[in-house]
Amino acid sequence: MNTTEIFLIAMLIIVTVPFAIWRIFRTDYFAPLVVVQILVGIALGPGVLGVFFPDFYKFVFNPTVIQSLNGIAWWAVSIFVFIAGIDVDFKAAWVHRRESGITAGLALAAPLLLGCVAAMLLLSTEGWVGPRAQTWQFVAGVGMSCAVTALPILILLMEKLDILRHALGQRILRYASVDDVAIWGVLALILMDWQRVGKQLLFNATFAVASMLFRRALRVLPASDRWYVALIWLLLCAFGADWSGLHFMVGAFLAGVVIDADRFDQKQMDALRHNLLLVMMPVFFLSTGLRTAWGMGGSAVFLAAAILLVAAVAGKLIGVHIAGKILGWQPGEASMIGWLLQTKALIMIIFSNILLDKQIITSDTFTALLLMAVASTMLTIPVVTSKLRSYFSAVGSARA
């Protein structure tokens, strides 16, 4: 077979297998399609398919095909992160700045702290720290991975639960938006390369000036031209960030975060996100699965994932419960919000991909983080569904 035919076989597997599992086994209650796609990506990687069916793995996922798939994955995730940046709502967060600041700050700080403790436990064993990482970078990177909330997946989840446009859903979006900016800010700090600091300062200064000019341009551009110009802006920012020693995904997020969401039709943006998840992001999930490794041994990787999961879940719940006490929330409200903010999936995977690219973590650490992200996201839906019923029942009774 030629490369085109093998590539199409790979795409057929990527599209068909997760959908078949999701539809036949009706996993939506505990594992939405996006989670199934991530799990299948892991299964198709060298640690599973490559072990049990090595010849088939080498035939389908040969270097040429992987290179082609990676190109699609880079572009898909750039657009996805760009949209995530646009979704950040600074205006709403500023109006409710005390509540948003306290909740988002504690929801970020507590899991970050416990995640750093978990990272220090991993330091006691060789094989987890990347070859180019300083100790503080590894600890901060793993700690922040435990603190991440995936804003785009949170939006999809709240749409499914029919609370996105509800006052509760809008509150949670504010908290997640503030955390999103903090998370990418910390990532940029972790990635600072002091040997290339001149390039990074130049990028930051150029970006600050260019973003002001770009925002003005969007005001006068006709609506039909804005998406084209926005994609050009995305590519320029992604290239600039990567050239300066940061990462193209950091540039993609920054490109989106300076854009006011009201410059685009919300329905169009939601449709683009859904279509991106349908058409292109499965390739990113596969490329992520191809980067997993089990060199430390399956039991060690699963144990590390379990430790990280405890740190992430406990930290988020503790932080939000403290915020609830300070702000005087109703009983049960903090627990429900804390579980909704557990959703990690895509952004955590993107975050850990960057850490792996920069050799701050190893493939084994990456695999453990990936398993932690999937597990925390799978826990969210069944737990939150029951809590939402109790919450709205209590609210209805109070109003009556």
Side-chain angles (χ1 to χ4, degrees):
M1 290 187 184
N2 60 39
T3 300
T4 303
E5 292 167 345
I6 299 173
F7 172 81
L8 292 172
I9 290 173
M11 287 297 301
L12 184 64
I13 294 170
I14 293 167
V15 174
T16 305
V17 175
F19 176 77
I21 293 172
W22 174 70
R23 181 54 69 198
I24 292 170
F25 295 100
R26 302 182 181 276
T27 66
D28 222 22
Y29 179 68
F30 60 91
L33 179 57
V34 63
V35 171
V36 177
Q37 289 169 330
I38 295 167
L39 289 171
V40 170
I42 296 172
L44 293 175
V48 182
L49 183 65
V51 170
F52 293 101
F53 302 97
D55 293 335
F56 181 75
Y57 175 80
K58 291 176 184 176
F59 169 70
V60 176
F61 300 112
N62 63 66
T64 305
V65 170
I66 289 176
Q67 186 176 16
S68 301
L69 293 172
N70 282 341
I72 297 173
W74 293 338
W75 181 229
V77 77
S78 295
I79 300 173
F80 192 87
V81 172
F82 176 64
I83 295 171
I86 297 175
D87 280 329
V88 173
D89 192 347
F90 286 112
K91 292 178 181 177
W94 179 251
V95 171
H96 303 275
R97 52 189 174 275
R98 180 177 178 271
E99 177 199 3
S100 298
I102 290 172
T103 307
L106 288 167
L108 187 71
L112 171 60
L113 180 61
L114 290 184
C116 288
V117 172
M120 286 187 281
L121 290 175
L122 295 180
L123 285 173
S124 62
T125 307
E126 292 184 1
W128 303 107
V129 183
R132 298 185 62 184
Q134 296 183 39
T135 300
W136 74 269
Q137 289 177 307
F138 174 79
V139 171
V142 172
M144 189 54 79
S145 297
C146 292
V148 166
T149 295
L151 180 60
I153 297 305
L154 179 61
I155 291 172
L156 294 175
L157 174 59
M158 291 198 295
E159 280 181 340
K160 176 181 174 59
L161 295 171
D162 199 26
I163 61 168
L164 180 60
R165 304 305 171 193
H166 189 275
L168 173 66
Q170 293 302 299
R171 277 175 58 197
I172 295 168
L173 280 184
R174 292 198 301 271
Y175 309 149
S177 295
V178 175
D179 276 352
D180 240 30
V181 176
I183 287 162
W184 287 93
V186 170
L187 178 62
L189 180 63
I190 292 170
L191 298 180
M192 284 293 285
D193 183 346
W194 300 108
Q195 294 180 345
R196 306 176 69 180
V197 70
K199 282 187 172 183
Q200 291 174 341
L201 289 174
L202 177 60
F203 167 73
N204 290 332
T206 304
F207 174 78
V209 175
S211 61
M212 289 188 289
L213 297 174
F214 178 71
R215 285 170 60 87
R216 290 181 182 176
L218 280 183
R219 294 173 194 160
V220 298
L221 282 172
S224 58
D225 290 348
R226 287 177 190 166
W227 273 114
Y228 292 100
V229 175
L231 291 177
I232 295 169
W233 168 247
L234 159 63
L235 288 165
L236 288 171
C237 293
F239 172 79
D242 215 67
W243 168 82
S244 71
L246 294 173
H247 195 279
F248 72 89
M249 290 191 221
V250 175
F253 180 78
L254 291 174
V257 84
V258 298
I259 297 176
D260 295 325
D262 56 12
R263 298 297 175 196
F264 300 101
D265 181 87
Q266 186 63 51
K267 290 183 178 179
Q268 279 188 343
M269 196 155 66
D270 290 342
L272 177 58
R273 184 191 301 105
H274 283 283
N275 290 333
L276 195 64
L277 282 167
L278 171 68
V279 177
M280 296 178 71
M281 285 301 286
V283 180
F284 172 72
F285 301 139
L286 173 81
S287 67
T288 295
L290 294 178
R291 309 183 77 182
T292 54
W294 309 85
M296 299 287 293
S299 58
V301 172
F302 277 105
L303 177 61
I307 293 170
L308 293 167
L309 179 64
V310 170
V313 173
K316 192 73 75 175
L317 291 176
I318 290 169
V320 176
H321 271 87
I322 295 172
K325 292 286 186 183
I326 295 171
L327 297 169
W329 291 349
Q330 297 298 316
E333 203 170 354
S335 178
M336 180 183 55
I337 292 173
W339 275 105
L340 275 167
L341 292 176
Q342 293 294 345
T343 307
K344 297 187 184 303
L346 283 182
I347 297 301
M348 214 291 304
I349 293 169
I350 292 167
F351 190 92
S352 55
N353 263 284
I354 296 172
L355 296 179
L356 182 61
D357 282 342
K358 294 298 182 180
Q359 298 182 46
I360 292 171
I361 60 174
T362 63
S363 294
D364 292 281
T365 313
F366 174 77
T367 305
L369 288 171
L370 191 62
L371 293 172
M372 179 269 283
V374 170
S376 67
T377 305
M378 289 177 68
L379 286 170
T380 300
I381 294 178
V383 172
V384 167
T385 301
S386 61
K387 288 184 178 295
L388 275 174
R389 291 196 200 100
S390 302
Y391 174 77
F392 284 115
S393 176
V395 169
S397 299
R399 287 178 178 172

PDB file of all heavy atoms in Angstrom, residues 277-292:
ATOM      1  N   LEU A 277     -14.060  19.434  17.289  1.00  0.00           N
ATOM      2  CA  LEU A 277     -14.018  18.214  18.092  1.00  0.00           C
ATOM      3  C   LEU A 277     -14.426  16.993  17.277  1.00  0.00           C
ATOM      4  O   LEU A 277     -13.935  15.883  17.503  1.00  0.00           O
ATOM      5  CB  LEU A 277     -14.938  18.356  19.309  1.00  0.00           C
ATOM      6  CG  LEU A 277     -14.384  19.189  20.466  1.00  0.00           C
ATOM      7  CD1 LEU A 277     -15.477  19.532  21.456  1.00  0.00           C
ATOM      8  CD2 LEU A 277     -13.255  18.443  21.165  1.00  0.00           C
ATOM      9  N   LEU A 278     -15.318  17.196  16.312  1.00  0.00           N
ATOM     10  CA  LEU A 278     -15.793  16.092  15.479  1.00  0.00           C
ATOM     11  C   LEU A 278     -14.779  15.705  14.411  1.00  0.00           C
ATOM     12  O   LEU A 278     -14.473  14.524  14.217  1.00  0.00           O
ATOM     13  CB  LEU A 278     -17.123  16.480  14.815  1.00  0.00           C
ATOM     14  CG  LEU A 278     -17.651  15.524  13.739  1.00  0.00           C
ATOM     15  CD1 LEU A 278     -18.060  14.205  14.373  1.00  0.00           C
ATOM     16  CD2 LEU A 278     -18.811  16.163  12.987  1.00  0.00           C
ATOM     17  N   VAL A 279     -14.217  16.713  13.730  1.00  0.00           N
ATOM     18  CA  VAL A 279     -13.457  16.462  12.509  1.00  0.00           C
ATOM     19  C   VAL A 279     -11.953  16.321  12.736  1.00  0.00           C
ATOM     20  O   VAL A 279     -11.300  15.451  12.132  1.00  0.00           O
ATOM     21  CB  VAL A 279     -13.717  17.597  11.485  1.00  0.00           C
ATOM     22  CG1 VAL A 279     -12.878  17.402  10.227  1.00  0.00           C
ATOM     23  CG2 VAL A 279     -15.200  17.643  11.118  1.00  0.00           C
ATOM     24  N   MET A 280     -11.381  17.168  13.611  1.00  0.00           N
ATOM     25  CA  MET A 280      -9.922  17.233  13.684  1.00  0.00           C
ATOM     26  C   MET A 280      -9.313  16.815  15.022  1.00  0.00           C
ATOM     27  O   MET A 280      -8.235  16.237  15.066  1.00  0.00           O
ATOM     28  CB  MET A 280      -9.458  18.655  13.339  1.00  0.00           C
ATOM     29  CG  MET A 280      -9.788  19.069  11.917  1.00  0.00           C
ATOM     30  SD  MET A 280      -9.280  20.765  11.543  1.00  0.00           S
ATOM     31  CE  MET A 280      -7.497  20.572  11.498  1.00  0.00           C
ATOM     32  N   MET A 281      -9.985  17.118  16.126  1.00  0.00           N
ATOM     33  CA  MET A 281      -9.374  16.843  17.424  1.00  0.00           C
ATOM     34  C   MET A 281      -9.125  15.355  17.698  1.00  0.00           C
ATOM     35  O   MET A 281      -8.197  15.016  18.434  1.00  0.00           O
ATOM     36  CB  MET A 281     -10.204  17.457  18.541  1.00  0.00           C
ATOM     37  CG  MET A 281     -10.063  18.970  18.641  1.00  0.00           C
ATOM     38  SD  MET A 281      -8.362  19.524  18.918  1.00  0.00           S
ATOM     39  CE  MET A 281      -8.147  19.084  20.641  1.00  0.00           C
ATOM     40  N   PRO A 282      -9.926  14.414  17.135  1.00  0.00           N
ATOM     41  CA  PRO A 282      -9.578  12.998  17.335  1.00  0.00           C
ATOM     42  C   PRO A 282      -8.156  12.661  16.896  1.00  0.00           C
ATOM     43  O   PRO A 282      -7.520  11.782  17.468  1.00  0.00           O
ATOM     44  CB  PRO A 282     -10.620  12.258  16.483  1.00  0.00           C
ATOM     45  CG  PRO A 282     -11.805  13.163  16.486  1.00  0.00           C
ATOM     46  CD  PRO A 282     -11.228  14.554  16.438  1.00  0.00           C
ATOM     47  N   VAL A 283      -7.656  13.382  15.890  1.00  0.00           N
ATOM     48  CA  VAL A 283      -6.272  13.158  15.456  1.00  0.00           C
ATOM     49  C   VAL A 283      -5.297  13.601  16.538  1.00  0.00           C
ATOM     50  O   VAL A 283      -4.262  12.969  16.775  1.00  0.00           O
ATOM     51  CB  VAL A 283      -5.993  13.905  14.130  1.00  0.00           C
ATOM     52  CG1 VAL A 283      -4.551  13.683  13.681  1.00  0.00           C
ATOM     53  CG2 VAL A 283      -6.958  13.450  13.050  1.00  0.00           C
ATOM     54  N   PHE A 284      -5.632  14.694  17.220  1.00  0.00           N
ATOM     55  CA  PHE A 284      -4.786  15.156  18.329  1.00  0.00           C
ATOM     56  C   PHE A 284      -4.776  14.130  19.457  1.00  0.00           C
ATOM     57  O   PHE A 284      -3.739  13.867  20.063  1.00  0.00           O
ATOM     58  CB  PHE A 284      -5.282  16.503  18.843  1.00  0.00           C
ATOM     59  CG  PHE A 284      -4.589  16.954  20.109  1.00  0.00           C
ATOM     60  CD1 PHE A 284      -3.268  17.379  20.080  1.00  0.00           C
ATOM     61  CD2 PHE A 284      -5.251  16.947  21.324  1.00  0.00           C
ATOM     62  CE1 PHE A 284      -2.620  17.783  21.233  1.00  0.00           C
ATOM     63  CE2 PHE A 284      -4.618  17.344  22.486  1.00  0.00           C
ATOM     64  CZ  PHE A 284      -3.290  17.766  22.437  1.00  0.00           C
ATOM     65  N   PHE A 285      -5.938  13.534  19.745  1.00  0.00           N
ATOM     66  CA  PHE A 285      -5.998  12.529  20.800  1.00  0.00           C
ATOM     67  C   PHE A 285      -5.114  11.326  20.450  1.00  0.00           C
ATOM     68  O   PHE A 285      -4.447  10.761  21.311  1.00  0.00           O
ATOM     69  CB  PHE A 285      -7.434  12.067  21.037  1.00  0.00           C
ATOM     70  CG  PHE A 285      -8.365  13.173  21.420  1.00  0.00           C
ATOM     71  CD1 PHE A 285      -9.643  13.235  20.907  1.00  0.00           C
ATOM     72  CD2 PHE A 285      -7.955  14.163  22.298  1.00  0.00           C
ATOM     73  CE1 PHE A 285     -10.506  14.257  21.253  1.00  0.00           C
ATOM     74  CE2 PHE A 285      -8.805  15.191  22.656  1.00  0.00           C
ATOM     75  CZ  PHE A 285     -10.084  15.246  22.134  1.00  0.00           C
ATOM     76  N   LEU A 286      -5.142  10.929  19.175  1.00  0.00           N
ATOM     77  CA  LEU A 286      -4.297   9.823  18.764  1.00  0.00           C
ATOM     78  C   LEU A 286      -2.824  10.194  18.907  1.00  0.00           C
ATOM     79  O   LEU A 286      -2.024   9.428  19.449  1.00  0.00           O
ATOM     80  CB  LEU A 286      -4.564   9.413  17.316  1.00  0.00           C
ATOM     81  CG  LEU A 286      -3.539   8.366  16.856  1.00  0.00           C
ATOM     82  CD1 LEU A 286      -3.933   6.983  17.332  1.00  0.00           C
ATOM     83  CD2 LEU A 286      -3.322   8.381  15.374  1.00  0.00           C
ATOM     84  N   SER A 287      -2.454  11.390  18.424  1.00  0.00           N
ATOM     85  CA  SER A 287      -1.055  11.794  18.504  1.00  0.00           C
ATOM     86  C   SER A 287      -0.608  11.877  19.959  1.00  0.00           C
ATOM     87  O   SER A 287       0.552  11.610  20.283  1.00  0.00           O
ATOM     88  CB  SER A 287      -0.845  13.139  17.802  1.00  0.00           C
ATOM     89  OG  SER A 287      -1.495  14.191  18.492  1.00  0.00           O
ATOM     90  N   THR A 288      -1.547  12.221  20.852  1.00  0.00           N
ATOM     91  CA  THR A 288      -1.245  12.221  22.286  1.00  0.00           C
ATOM     92  C   THR A 288      -1.010  10.795  22.774  1.00  0.00           C
ATOM     93  O   THR A 288      -0.064  10.528  23.514  1.00  0.00           O
ATOM     94  CB  THR A 288      -2.404  12.856  23.073  1.00  0.00           C
ATOM     95  OG1 THR A 288      -2.503  14.239  22.718  1.00  0.00           O
ATOM     96  CG2 THR A 288      -2.184  12.749  24.571  1.00  0.00           C
ATOM     97  N   GLY A 289      -1.872   9.868  22.363  1.00  0.00           N
ATOM     98  CA  GLY A 289      -1.713   8.472  22.759  1.00  0.00           C
ATOM     99  C   GLY A 289      -0.408   7.876  22.271  1.00  0.00           C
ATOM    100  O   GLY A 289       0.206   7.046  22.955  1.00  0.00           O
ATOM    101  N   LEU A 290       0.065   8.320  21.102  1.00  0.00           N
ATOM    102  CA  LEU A 290       1.317   7.801  20.557  1.00  0.00           C
ATOM    103  C   LEU A 290       2.520   8.237  21.386  1.00  0.00           C
ATOM    104  O   LEU A 290       3.613   7.694  21.230  1.00  0.00           O
ATOM    105  CB  LEU A 290       1.498   8.268  19.102  1.00  0.00           C
ATOM    106  CG  LEU A 290       0.486   7.730  18.086  1.00  0.00           C
ATOM    107  CD1 LEU A 290       0.749   8.316  16.709  1.00  0.00           C
ATOM    108  CD2 LEU A 290       0.512   6.215  18.031  1.00  0.00           C
ATOM    109  N   ARG A 291       2.323   9.218  22.274  1.00  0.00           N
ATOM    110  CA  ARG A 291       3.435   9.725  23.090  1.00  0.00           C
ATOM    111  C   ARG A 291       3.468   9.096  24.484  1.00  0.00           C
ATOM    112  O   ARG A 291       4.342   9.419  25.279  1.00  0.00           O
ATOM    113  CB  ARG A 291       3.315  11.248  23.215  1.00  0.00           C
ATOM    114  CG  ARG A 291       3.135  11.949  21.891  1.00  0.00           C
ATOM    115  CD  ARG A 291       3.083  13.445  22.021  1.00  0.00           C
ATOM    116  NE  ARG A 291       4.416  13.990  22.222  1.00  0.00           N
ATOM    117  CZ  ARG A 291       4.664  15.286  22.410  1.00  0.00           C
ATOM    118  NH1 ARG A 291       3.677  16.142  22.456  1.00  0.00           N
ATOM    119  NH2 ARG A 291       5.886  15.710  22.581  1.00  0.00           N
ATOM    120  N   THR A 292       2.503   8.232  24.772  1.00  0.00           N
ATOM    121  CA  THR A 292       2.489   7.588  26.087  1.00  0.00           C
ATOM    122  C   THR A 292       3.576   6.521  26.160  1.00  0.00           C
ATOM    123  O   THR A 292       4.002   5.982  25.143  1.00  0.00           O
ATOM    124  CB  THR A 292       1.124   6.940  26.379  1.00  0.00           C
ATOM    125  OG1 THR A 292       0.792   6.040  25.305  1.00  0.00           O
ATOM    126  CG2 THR A 292       0.038   7.995  26.484  1.00  0.00           C
TER     127      THR A 292
END
